[in-house]
Amino acid sequence: MNRERTALVTGGASGLGAAAAQRLRADGLAVTTVDLDGADRSCDVTDHDAFTALADEVGPIDVLVNSAGIVGPNMPLLDTTNEQWRSVLEVNVLGTVNAMRAFVPRMRERGWGRVVNIASMAGKDGNPDLAAYSASKAAVIALTKSAGKELATSGVLVNVITPAVIATRFNDSTAPEVLAHITSLIPMKRVGRPEEVAELIAFLSSDRVSFSTGAVYDISGGRATY
């Protein structure tokens, strides 16, 4: 491709989204960040109609990074409510689905695209007192595998990253005892840095990945070995 590649990053105002946007710009991509506030574009990823309109305004993109997400309730499963579950699933799962349905069709038409979904190690292991979050991230992993198979011959590659604990504002709302527990599971005995995750996102957003789709990439300091 001779033209400048373009990318859109949801949840791009802070944390992993902001780090991904910075790293992709360093690779020469024209990046649009999307968030509720503090980003290039303001949009609620749970609002399908608004996100479809945003796609029409932004136009075709080459790379989609789905980083928008919330932690949800920090409490035992039996104490959670249906509304808490709906809130987490709408942002973390339907938000990812809305973005893919809005932007991937034009990637497929042009025969090239990269989608990087951000899940979590919680989606593989299941973290105590984070049942809704863990379930939502497991769903993101599964939908990535499905989409990767559906688009496998289209030139659009869809992969998912499963970070362990990363030092971002995202974890400010996580109960200290929960954060301590999941950090203790990391063999490297430290949390990850946003820029470390951004390097993996940059790889998965490029031509450097060509025979991997529907795959799950751990970045966990050794926590996951499967």
Side-chain angles (χ1 to χ4, degrees):
M1 294 175 67
N2 295 320
R3 64 176 178 80
E4 180 182 46
R5 281 186 173 154
T6 57
L8 184 135
V9 181
T10 71
S14 62
L16 295 184
Q22 181 179 6
R23 181 63 182 80
L24 291 174
R25 287 174 177 139
D27 272 353
L29 280 74
V31 181
T32 299
T33 57
V34 177
D35 216 313
L36 292 176
D37 53 62
D40 298 322
R41 296 295 187 103
S42 176
C43 189
D44 184 345
V45 295
T46 70
D47 188 335
H48 175 264
D49 292 340
F51 218 75
T52 300
L54 175 68
D56 291 336
E57 293 172 15
V58 171
I61 62 168
D62 301 301
V63 174
L64 172 63
V65 179
N66 284 306
S67 186
I70 60 174
V71 175
N74 285 197
M75 61 181 66
L77 166 66
L78 301 183
D79 296 334
T80 58
T81 67
N82 283 355
E83 185 52 43
Q84 288 172 324
W85 275 83
R86 289 190 189 97
S87 177
V88 174
L89 293 174
E90 283 181 3
V91 175
N92 294 356
V93 184
L94 289 180
T96 300
V97 171
N98 284 338
M100 292 178 66
R101 289 190 299 189
F103 286 99
V104 170
R106 277 175 274 195
M107 292 182 182
R108 183 173 57 186
E109 288 172 6
R110 297 194 310 281
W112 196 95
R114 299 290 185 268
V115 179
V116 184
N117 293 327
I118 310 300
S120 169
M121 194 55 54
K124 299 180 74 172
D125 285 356
N127 287 337
D129 294 334
L130 288 173
Y133 179 75
S134 299
S136 73
K137 292 305 186 178
V140 171
I141 292 170
L143 76 86
T144 299
K145 292 181 178 182
S146 293
K149 291 178 173 67
E150 291 175 11
L151 296 165
T153 60
S154 70
V156 181
L157 306 183
V158 187
N159 293 293
V160 62
I161 292 174
T162 53
V165 183
I166 306 298
T168 70
R169 223 173 42 183
F170 185 74
N171 284 306
D172 288 349
S173 60
T174 304
E177 63 274 15
V178 174
L179 195 59
H181 168 72
I182 55 183
T183 302
S184 73
L185 300 174
I186 299 174
M188 283 189 176
K189 302 302 180 185
R190 69 170 178 88
V191 299
R193 299 188 302 271
E195 60 269 25
E196 292 175 312
V197 180
E199 285 294 333
L200 181 54
I201 293 171
F203 166 69
L204 293 173
S205 299
S206 72
D207 284 312
R208 301 192 300 277
V209 58
S210 57
F211 193 55
S212 180
T213 194
V216 185
Y217 287 80
D218 295 335
I219 182 162
S220 67
R223 174 174 169 182
T225 55
Y226 58 91

